Coordinates of all heavy atoms in Angstrom, one line a residue:
M131 N 15.3 14.2 0.5 CA 14.7 13.6 -0.7 C 13.2 13.5 -0.5 O 12.7 13.2 0.5 CB 15.3 12.2 -0.9 CG 14.7 11.4 -2.1 SD 15.4 9.9 -2.5 CE 17.0 10.4 -3.1
T132 N 12.5 13.8 -1.6 CA 11.0 13.8 -1.5 C 10.6 12.3 -1.6 O 11.3 11.4 -1.9 CB 10.4 14.5 -2.8 OG1 10.8 13.8 -4.0 CG2 10.9 16.0 -2.8
K133 N 9.3 12.1 -1.3 CA 8.7 10.8 -1.3 C 8.8 10.2 -2.7 O 9.1 9.0 -3.0 CB 7.3 10.7 -0.8 CG 7.2 10.9 0.6 CD 5.7 10.9 1.1 CE 5.6 11.2 2.6 NZ 4.2 11.1 3.0
G134 N 8.5 11.1 -3.7 CA 8.6 10.6 -5.1 C 10.0 10.3 -5.5 O 10.2 9.3 -6.2
G135 N 10.9 11.1 -5.1 CA 12.3 10.8 -5.4 C 12.8 9.5 -4.8 O 13.5 8.7 -5.4
K136 N 12.4 9.3 -3.5 CA 12.8 8.0 -2.8 C 12.2 6.8 -3.6 O 12.8 5.8 -3.8 CB 12.3 8.1 -1.4 CG 12.7 6.8 -0.6 CD 12.4 6.8 0.8 CE 12.7 5.6 1.6 NZ 13.2 4.4 0.9
Y137 N 10.9 7.0 -4.0 CA 10.3 5.9 -4.7 C 11.0 5.5 -6.0 O 11.3 4.4 -6.2 CB 8.8 6.2 -5.0 CG 8.1 5.2 -5.9 CD1 7.7 4.0 -5.4 CD2 8.0 5.4 -7.3 CE1 7.1 3.0 -6.2 CE2 7.4 4.5 -8.1 CZ 7.0 3.3 -7.6 OH 6.4 2.4 -8.4
L138 N 11.4 6.5 -6.8 CA 12.1 6.3 -8.0 C 13.5 5.7 -7.7 O 13.9 4.9 -8.5 CB 12.2 7.6 -8.8 CG 10.9 8.1 -9.4 CD1 11.1 9.4 -10.1 CD2 10.2 7.1 -10.3
D139 N 14.1 6.2 -6.7 CA 15.4 5.6 -6.3 C 15.2 4.1 -5.9 O 16.1 3.3 -6.3 CB 16.0 6.4 -5.1 CG 17.2 7.1 -5.4 OD1 17.6 7.2 -6.6 OD2 17.9 7.6 -4.4
D140 N 14.2 3.8 -5.2 CA 14.0 2.5 -4.7 C 13.7 1.5 -5.8 O 14.1 0.3 -5.7 CB 12.8 2.4 -3.7 CG 13.2 3.0 -2.3 OD1 14.4 3.3 -2.1 OD2 12.2 3.2 -1.5
I141 N 13.0 2.0 -6.9 CA 12.7 1.0 -8.0 C 13.9 1.0 -9.0 O 13.8 0.3 -10.0 CB 11.4 1.3 -8.7 CG1 11.4 2.7 -9.4 CG2 10.2 1.2 -7.8 CD1 10.2 3.0 -10.2
Q142 N 15.0 1.7 -8.7 CA 16.2 1.6 -9.5 C 16.0 1.8 -11.0 O 16.3 0.9 -11.8 CB 17.0 0.4 -9.2 CG 17.3 0.2 -7.7 CD 18.0 -1.1 -7.4 OE1 17.9 -2.0 -8.1 NE2 18.7 -1.1 -6.3
L143 N 15.5 3.0 -11.4 CA 15.2 3.3 -12.8 C 16.4 3.1 -13.7 O 16.3 2.8 -14.8 CB 14.7 4.7 -12.9 CG 13.3 5.0 -12.4 CD1 13.0 6.5 -12.5 CD2 12.3 4.3 -13.1
F144 N 17.6 3.4 -13.1 CA 18.8 3.4 -14.0 C 19.6 2.0 -13.9 O 20.7 2.0 -14.4 CB 19.7 4.5 -13.6 CG 19.1 5.9 -13.9 CD1 18.4 6.6 -13.0 CD2 19.2 6.4 -15.2 CE1 17.8 7.8 -13.3 CE2 18.6 7.7 -15.5 CZ 17.9 8.3 -14.5
A145 N 19.0 1.1 -13.2 CA 19.7 -0.3 -13.1 C 19.7 -0.9 -14.5 O 18.9 -0.7 -15.4 CB 19.0 -1.1 -12.1
E146 N 20.7 -1.8 -14.7 CA 20.8 -2.5 -16.0 C 19.6 -3.3 -16.3 O 19.3 -3.5 -17.5 CB 22.1 -3.3 -16.0 CG 23.3 -2.5 -16.1 CD 24.5 -3.3 -16.7 OE1 24.3 -4.3 -17.3 OE2 25.6 -2.8 -16.4
D147 N 18.9 -3.8 -15.3 CA 17.8 -4.7 -15.6 C 16.5 -3.9 -15.5 O 15.4 -4.5 -15.4 CB 17.7 -5.9 -14.6 CG 17.7 -5.5 -13.2 OD1 17.9 -4.3 -12.9 OD2 17.4 -6.3 -12.3
S148 N 16.5 -2.6 -15.5 CA 15.3 -1.7 -15.5 C 14.5 -2.0 -16.8 O 15.0 -2.3 -17.9 CB 15.7 -0.2 -15.5 OG 14.6 0.6 -15.5
I149 N 13.2 -1.8 -16.7 CA 12.3 -1.9 -17.8 C 12.4 -0.7 -18.7 O 11.9 -0.8 -19.8 CB 10.9 -2.2 -17.4 CG1 10.3 -1.1 -16.6 CG2 10.8 -3.5 -16.7 CD1 8.8 -1.1 -16.4
L150 N 13.0 0.3 -18.2 CA 13.2 1.6 -19.0 C 14.6 1.7 -19.6 O 15.6 1.3 -18.9 CB 12.9 2.8 -18.1 CG 11.5 2.9 -17.5 CD1 11.5 4.1 -16.6 CD2 10.4 2.9 -18.5
T151 N 14.7 2.4 -20.7 CA 16.0 2.7 -21.2 C 16.6 3.9 -20.3 O 15.8 4.5 -19.6 CB 16.0 3.2 -22.7 OG1 15.2 4.4 -22.7 CG2 15.3 2.2 -23.6
K152 N 17.8 4.1 -20.5 CA 18.5 5.2 -19.7 C 17.8 6.5 -20.1 O 17.5 7.4 -19.2 CB 20.0 5.3 -20.0 CG 20.6 6.4 -19.2 CD 22.1 6.4 -19.5 CE 22.7 7.6 -18.7 NZ 24.1 7.7 -19.0
E153 N 17.5 6.7 -21.3 CA 16.8 8.0 -21.8 C 15.4 8.1 -21.2 O 15.0 9.2 -20.8 CB 16.7 8.0 -23.3 CG 18.1 8.2 -24.0 CD 18.9 6.9 -24.0 OE1 18.3 5.8 -23.9 OE2 20.1 7.0 -24.2
Q154 N 14.7 7.0 -21.2 CA 13.3 7.0 -20.6 C 13.4 7.3 -19.1 O 12.6 8.1 -18.5 CB 12.6 5.7 -20.8 CG 12.2 5.4 -22.2 CD 11.7 4.0 -22.5 OE1 12.3 3.1 -21.9 NE2 10.8 3.9 -23.4
A155 N 14.3 6.7 -18.4 CA 14.5 6.9 -16.9 C 14.8 8.4 -16.7 O 14.3 9.0 -15.7 CB 15.6 6.0 -16.4
T156 N 15.7 8.9 -17.5 CA 16.1 10.3 -17.4 C 14.9 11.2 -17.6 O 14.7 12.2 -16.8 CB 17.2 10.7 -18.4 OG1 18.4 9.9 -18.1 CG2 17.6 12.2 -18.3
D157 N 14.0 10.9 -18.5 CA 12.8 11.7 -18.8 C 11.9 11.7 -17.6 O 11.3 12.7 -17.2 CB 12.1 11.3 -20.0 CG 12.8 11.7 -21.3 OD1 13.7 12.5 -21.3 OD2 12.5 11.1 -22.4
V158 N 11.7 10.5 -17.0 CA 10.9 10.4 -15.8 C 11.4 11.2 -14.7 O 10.7 12.0 -14.0 CB 10.8 8.9 -15.3 CG1 10.1 8.8 -14.0 CG2 10.0 8.1 -16.4
W159 N 12.7 11.1 -14.4 CA 13.4 11.9 -13.3 C 13.3 13.4 -13.6 O 13.0 14.2 -12.7 CB 14.8 11.5 -13.2 CG 15.3 11.8 -11.8 CD1 15.9 13.0 -11.5 CD2 15.2 11.1 -10.6 NE1 16.2 13.0 -10.1 CE2 15.8 11.9 -9.6 CE3 14.7 9.8 -10.3 CZ2 15.9 11.4 -8.3 CZ3 14.8 9.4 -9.0 CH2 15.4 10.2 -8.0
K160 N 13.4 13.8 -14.9 CA 13.4 15.2 -15.2 C 11.9 15.7 -15.0 O 11.8 16.9 -14.5 CB 13.7 15.4 -16.7 CG 15.2 15.4 -17.0 CD 15.4 15.7 -18.5 CE 16.9 15.8 -18.8 NZ 17.1 16.0 -20.2
G161 N 10.9 15.0 -15.3 CA 9.6 15.4 -15.1 C 9.3 15.6 -13.6 O 8.6 16.6 -13.2
L162 N 9.7 14.7 -12.8 CA 9.5 14.8 -11.4 C 10.2 16.0 -10.8 O 9.7 16.8 -10.0 CB 9.9 13.5 -10.6 CG 9.7 13.5 -9.1 CD1 8.2 13.6 -8.8 CD2 10.3 12.3 -8.5
S163 N 11.5 16.2 -11.3 CA 12.3 17.3 -10.8 C 11.7 18.6 -11.2 O 11.7 19.6 -10.4 CB 13.7 17.2 -11.4 OG 14.4 16.1 -10.8
E164 N 11.1 18.7 -12.4 CA 10.5 20.0 -12.8 C 9.3 20.3 -12.0 O 9.1 21.5 -11.6 CB 10.1 19.9 -14.3 CG 9.6 21.2 -14.9 CD 9.3 21.1 -16.3 OE1 9.0 20.0 -16.9 OE2 9.4 22.2 -17.0
R165 N 8.5 19.4 -11.7 CA 7.3 19.6 -10.9 C 7.7 20.0 -9.5 O 7.1 20.9 -8.9 CB 6.4 18.4 -10.8 CG 5.6 18.2 -12.1 CD 4.5 17.2 -12.0 NE 5.0 15.9 -11.4 CZ 4.2 14.9 -11.3 NH1 3.0 14.8 -11.8 NH2 4.7 13.8 -10.7
Y166 N 8.7 19.4 -8.9 CA 9.2 19.7 -7.6 C 9.7 21.2 -7.6 O 9.4 22.0 -6.7 CB 10.4 18.8 -7.2 CG 11.0 19.0 -5.9 CD1 10.3 18.7 -4.7 CD2 12.2 19.6 -5.8 CE1 10.8 18.9 -3.5 CE2 12.8 19.8 -4.6 CZ 12.1 19.5 -3.4 OH 12.7 19.7 -2.2
A167 N 10.5 21.6 -8.6 CA 11.0 22.9 -8.7 C 9.9 24.0 -8.9 O 10.0 25.1 -8.3 CB 12.0 23.0 -9.8
Q168 N 8.9 23.6 -9.6 CA 7.8 24.5 -9.8 C 7.0 24.9 -8.5 O 6.5 25.9 -8.4 CB 6.8 24.0 -10.8 CG 7.3 24.0 -12.2 CD 6.4 23.2 -13.2 OE1 5.6 22.4 -12.8 NE2 6.5 23.5 -14.5
G169 N 7.1 24.0 -7.6 CA 6.4 24.2 -6.3 C 7.3 25.0 -5.3 O 6.8 25.2 -4.2
S170 N 8.4 25.4 -5.7 CA 9.3 26.1 -4.8 C 8.9 27.5 -4.6 O 8.2 28.1 -5.4 CB 10.8 26.1 -5.3 OG 10.8 26.7 -6.5
S171 N 9.3 28.1 -3.4 CA 9.0 29.5 -3.2 C 9.9 29.9 -2.0 O 10.5 29.1 -1.3 CB 7.5 29.7 -2.8 OG 7.2 29.0 -1.6
G172 N 10.1 31.3 -1.9 CA 10.9 31.8 -0.8 C 12.4 31.5 -1.1 O 12.9 31.6 -2.2
N173 N 13.1 31.3 0.0 CA 14.5 31.1 0.0 C 14.7 29.6 -0.1 O 14.0 28.8 0.6 CB 15.2 31.6 1.2 CG 15.1 33.1 1.3 OD1 14.9 33.8 0.3 ND2 15.2 33.6 2.5
V174 N 15.7 29.1 -0.8 CA 16.0 27.7 -0.9 C 17.5 27.5 -0.7 O 18.3 28.4 -1.0 CB 15.6 27.0 -2.2 CG1 14.1 27.1 -2.4 CG2 16.3 27.7 -3.4
Y175 N 17.9 26.4 -0.2 CA 19.3 26.0 0.0 C 19.5 24.8 -0.9 O 18.8 23.8 -0.8 CB 19.5 25.6 1.5 CG 19.3 26.8 2.4 CD1 18.1 27.1 2.9 CD2 20.4 27.7 2.6 CE1 17.9 28.2 3.7 CE2 20.1 28.8 3.5 CZ 18.9 29.0 4.0 OH 18.7 30.1 4.8
G176 N 20.5 24.9 -1.7 CA 20.9 23.8 -2.6 C 22.3 23.2 -2.2 O 23.2 24.0 -2.0
F177 N 22.4 21.9 -2.3 CA 23.7 21.3 -2.0 C 24.1 20.7 -3.4 O 24.0 19.5 -3.6 CB 23.6 20.2 -0.9 CG 23.1 20.8 0.4 CD1 21.8 20.8 0.7 CD2 24.0 21.4 1.2 CE1 21.3 21.4 1.9 CE2 23.6 22.0 2.4 CZ 22.3 22.0 2.8
V178 N 24.6 21.5 -4.3 CA 24.9 21.1 -5.6 C 26.3 21.6 -6.1 O 26.5 21.6 -7.3 CB 23.8 21.7 -6.6 CG1 22.4 21.0 -6.3 CG2 23.7 23.2 -6.5
E179 N 27.2 21.8 -5.2 CA 28.5 22.2 -5.6 C 29.1 21.2 -6.5 O 29.1 20.0 -6.2 CB 29.4 22.4 -4.3 CG 30.8 22.9 -4.7 CD 31.6 23.2 -3.5 OE1 31.1 23.4 -2.4 OE2 32.9 23.2 -3.6
G180 N 29.6 21.6 -7.6 CA 30.2 20.7 -8.5 C 29.3 20.0 -9.5 O 29.7 19.1 -10.2
A181 N 28.0 20.4 -9.4 CA 27.0 19.8 -10.3 C 27.4 20.0 -11.8 O 27.8 21.0 -12.2 CB 25.6 20.4 -10.1
H182 N 27.4 18.9 -12.5 CA 27.8 18.9 -14.0 C 26.9 19.9 -14.7 O 25.7 20.0 -14.4 CB 27.6 17.5 -14.5 CG 28.0 17.3 -15.9 ND1 27.2 17.6 -17.0 CD2 29.2 17.0 -16.4 CE1 27.9 17.4 -18.1 NE2 29.1 17.0 -17.8
V183 N 27.4 20.5 -15.7 CA 26.7 21.5 -16.5 C 25.4 20.9 -17.1 O 24.4 21.6 -17.1 CB 27.6 22.1 -17.6 CG1 26.8 23.0 -18.5 CG2 28.7 22.9 -17.0
G184 N 25.5 19.7 -17.5 CA 24.3 19.0 -18.1 C 23.4 18.3 -17.1 O 22.6 17.5 -17.5
S185 N 23.6 18.5 -15.8 CA 22.9 17.8 -14.8 C 21.4 18.2 -14.8 O 21.0 19.3 -15.3 CB 23.4 18.0 -13.4 OG 23.2 19.4 -13.0
I186 N 20.6 17.4 -14.2 CA 19.1 17.7 -14.1 C 18.9 19.0 -13.3 O 18.1 19.8 -13.6 CB 18.3 16.5 -13.6 CG1 18.3 15.4 -14.6 CG2 16.9 16.9 -13.2 CD1 17.6 14.1 -14.1
F187 N 19.8 19.2 -12.3 CA 19.7 20.4 -11.5 C 19.9 21.6 -12.4 O 19.1 22.5 -12.4 CB 20.7 20.5 -10.4 CG 20.7 21.8 -9.7 CD1 19.6 22.2 -8.9 CD2 21.7 22.8 -10.0 CE1 19.6 23.5 -8.3 CE2 21.6 24.0 -9.4 CZ 20.6 24.4 -8.5
N188 N 21.0 21.6 -13.2 CA 21.3 22.8 -14.0 C 20.4 22.9 -15.3 O 20.2 24.1 -15.7 CB 22.8 22.7 -14.5 CG 23.7 23.1 -13.3 OD1 23.4 24.0 -12.6 ND2 24.8 22.4 -13.2
T189 N 19.9 21.9 -15.8 CA 19.1 22.0 -17.0 C 17.6 22.0 -16.8 O 16.8 22.5 -17.7 CB 19.4 20.8 -18.0 OG1 19.0 19.5 -17.3 CG2 20.9 20.7 -18.4
V190 N 17.1 21.5 -15.7 CA 15.7 21.5 -15.4 C 15.3 22.2 -14.1 O 14.5 23.2 -14.2 CB 15.2 20.0 -15.3 CG1 13.7 19.9 -14.9 CG2 15.5 19.2 -16.6
E191 N 15.9 21.9 -13.0 CA 15.4 22.4 -11.7 C 15.8 23.9 -11.6 O 14.9 24.7 -11.3 CB 16.0 21.6 -10.6 CG 15.5 20.2 -10.5 CD 16.3 19.4 -9.5 OE1 17.3 19.8 -9.0 OE2 15.7 18.3 -9.2
Y192 N 17.1 24.3 -11.8 CA 17.5 25.6 -11.6 C 16.7 26.6 -12.4 O 16.2 27.7 -11.9 CB 19.0 25.8 -11.8 CG 19.5 27.2 -11.5 CD1 19.6 27.6 -10.2 CD2 20.0 28.0 -12.5 CE1 20.0 28.9 -9.9 CE2 20.5 29.2 -12.2 CZ 20.5 29.7 -10.9 OH 20.9 30.9 -10.6
P193 N 16.5 26.3 -13.7 CA 15.8 27.3 -14.6 C 14.3 27.4 -14.2 O 13.6 28.4 -14.5 CB 15.9 26.8 -16.0 CG 17.0 25.8 -16.0 CD 17.1 25.3 -14.6
T194 N 13.8 26.4 -13.5 CA 12.4 26.3 -13.2 C 12.1 26.9 -11.8 O 10.9 27.3 -11.5 CB 11.9 24.9 -13.2 OG1 12.2 24.3 -14.5 CG2 10.4 24.7 -13.0
L195 N 13.1 27.0 -10.9 CA 12.8 27.5 -9.6 C 12.1 28.9 -9.5 O 12.5 29.7 -10.3 CB 14.1 27.6 -8.8 CG 14.8 26.3 -8.4 CD1 16.2 26.6 -7.8 CD2 14.0 25.5 -7.4
N196 N 11.2 29.0 -8.6 CA 10.4 30.2 -8.5 C 10.7 30.7 -7.1 O 9.8 30.7 -6.2 CB 8.9 29.9 -8.7 CG 8.1 31.2 -8.6 OD1 8.6 32.3 -8.9 ND2 6.8 31.0 -8.2
V197 N 11.9 31.2 -6.9 CA 12.3 31.6 -5.5 C 12.9 33.0 -5.5 O 13.2 33.6 -6.5 CB 13.4 30.6 -5.0 CG1 12.8 29.2 -4.9 CG2 14.6 30.6 -5.9
T198 N 13.0 33.5 -4.3 CA 13.5 34.8 -4.1 C 15.0 34.8 -3.9 O 15.7 35.8 -4.2 CB 12.9 35.5 -2.9 OG1 13.1 34.7 -1.7 CG2 11.4 35.8 -3.1
Q199 N 15.6 33.7 -3.4 CA 17.0 33.6 -3.1 C 17.4 32.2 -3.0 O 16.8 31.3 -2.5 CB 17.4 34.3 -1.8 CG 18.9 34.4 -1.5 CD 19.2 35.2 -0.2 OE1 18.3 35.8 0.3 NE2 20.4 35.1 0.2
I200 N 18.6 31.9 -3.7 CA 19.2 30.6 -3.6 C 20.5 30.7 -2.9 O 21.3 31.5 -3.1 CB 19.4 30.0 -5.0 CG1 18.1 29.9 -5.8 CG2 20.1 28.7 -5.0 CD1 18.3 29.5 -7.2

């Protein structure tokens, strides 16, 4: 997990008492994930077996990856 991802996990964006709606929290996470994927290069290893079709990995990260092999 990246430092940014850990920070967002720690502040519990998706908790019921979050100051953000679920949609807002998802948008924040998508933005961070997209920037992370844009910085990729070379070969990457993903542990995403069984990832939901509508997951952030499949809808944001995977299409954004700039890699030679996954």
Side-chain angles (χ1 to χ4, degrees):
M131 178 174 290
T132 65
K133 288 180 183 181
K136 181 173 178 357
Y137 172 77
L138 292 179
D139 246 9
D140 289 347
I141 63 171
Q142 301 178 341
L143 290 177
F144 293 95
E146 286 201 24
D147 60 347
S148 174
I149 61 170
L150 301 177
T151 66
K152 182 179 177 182
E153 292 78 20
Q154 290 170 325
T156 300
D157 287 344
V158 169
W159 200 269
K160 282 181 177 181
L162 181 65
S163 291
E164 184 175 30
R165 287 194 308 188
Y166 180 73
Q168 286 171 341
S170 62
S171 63
N173 297 335
V174 297
Y175 297 89
F177 300 93
V178 293
E179 184 176 337
H182 185 272
V183 172
S185 69
I186 291 176
F187 172 75
N188 284 319
T189 62
V190 177
E191 294 172 348
Y192 186 69
T194 305
L195 289 172
N196 183 27
V197 297
T198 55
Q199 184 176 350
I200 299 175

